[in-house]
Amino acid sequence: MQRTATEGRGPVRYGPPAPQPGLPVLPELLGVLAAAAGRSAPEPPGGGASLREAACRYWGRRGLATSPENVAAGPGAPALLLALLGAYGGDVMLPRPCPAWWTPQVRLLGRRAYHVPTPAECGGVPDPYALLETVRRVRAEGGDPRVLLLSVADDPTATVPPPEMVHEACEAAESAGLFVVSDESWRDTVHRPRDTLVLSPAEMLPDRAAVLVDLSGALLPAGWPAAVVRFPGTPRGTWLCARTLDVLTATGAMVAGPVAGAAAHALGEPDAVAGRAFAAAALHGVVAAAAHRRLLESGVLARPPQAGRHLYADLTPLRAGLARHGVADAMELEDWLGGRLGAATPGGQRFADELGALRVRLSTGPLLGATPQERLAALTARDPLALPHVQNSLDLLGSVLAGLA
């Protein structure tokens, strides 16, 4: 008899695992934060003028002209997404798999989340035909889908949807009357930016798309929560921005003053910040590519990583070997593999994937070293794969998987 998600071991765990170690804080950003540490005035709801203007310049460099009145800031992407979805209303369509925190945000509002399969080529966006069929079915059953949440540089799958896939998904969303929210937090972590085109839905649906960027994706440390969202420059976009600000005010979701100063500085992308972001993306890309090779050599299925700091691995071909260790689903795989690697390996159930599928997200962060000194050495090394601690981590991954053959 097949075990359900809530039998035997409690409910499926959707929340994020323990934070992964990051690179040391950039000294320039540390200086900006320290200089603002004595600031006593709070940041206004939605962010002050300097932060919103910096966000406008950030998007302007990416081809999205933006006015400050169409921008809101909050203490991280979850707080902003919660406010935006609360303001817009309706049920939400999401790709499967999707980031671990998306589905809980929808359910916290008492809304329904409907997950749509992604194309074979990539994650982040729903298959357009499946999206249209799911919307039709949901409405026929009395549901009220109004929003499509997607990502153009995807966590968990580490893929970047090709422009034609983004275009087709946006066309389907427009046809179905859905408002698009594009999470672009990881767009600045593309491993090979000269070879990878990131296309924003706001370029195709300027009147029907909002863009969300969590700055901890590439520009700020994870412990400094700050995010910005860009609304359409239309009357409805102005209405949605105002409603979102109402929710941020009611919930007290404001960026801390010193963090707001650091966020504005980072959004300006001075040489040190842009250089660190580029170097970090390249480092994670090199290590992710090496880990991907180990996965394929072991018979594991995984799309080639293109962005971010993760890989999404399907261990279904190793099901027999895992069964010898009592592993039959994603929850058990998460516990078993994480224990052997000594690092969090969240199972696919966290990302709204099927519990019975043997999928996990592997992070490149732990492969860079256990200490700040080791991670900094990986960042500055000409060949990070030649460092003993990086090689040992990759060897451990390969040996654990080889033992399942």
Side-chain angles (χ1 to χ4, degrees), residues 36-44 254-258 260:
R39 174 181 170 183
S40 59
E43 193 79 356
M254 291 166 254
V255 184

Side-chain angles (χ1 to χ4, degrees), residues 121-205:
E121 297 89 338
C122 62
V125 299
D127 177 90
Y129 300 104
L131 174 63
L132 291 172
E133 174 58 25
T134 304
V135 169
R136 184 201 63 76
R137 175 180 55 80
V138 168
R139 286 176 175 157
E141 295 172 354
D144 183 26
R146 299 188 201 173
V147 176
L148 169 62
L149 184 55
L150 54 78
S151 176
V152 297
D154 185 45
D155 165 33
T157 66
T159 58
V160 176
E164 59 271 20
M165 291 289 181
V166 179
H167 190 271
E168 291 175 5
C170 288
E171 281 189 332
E174 184 177 32
S175 174
L178 301 176
F179 183 80
V180 175
V181 178
S182 176
D183 184 352
E184 301 182 9
S185 300
W186 297 98
R187 70 170 295 160
D188 296 316
T189 67
V190 171
H191 300 158
R192 299 169 64 90
R194 294 182 179 86
D195 302 326
T196 309
L197 177 61
V198 180
L199 185 64
S200 173
E203 299 178 57
M204 291 172 288
L205 301 176

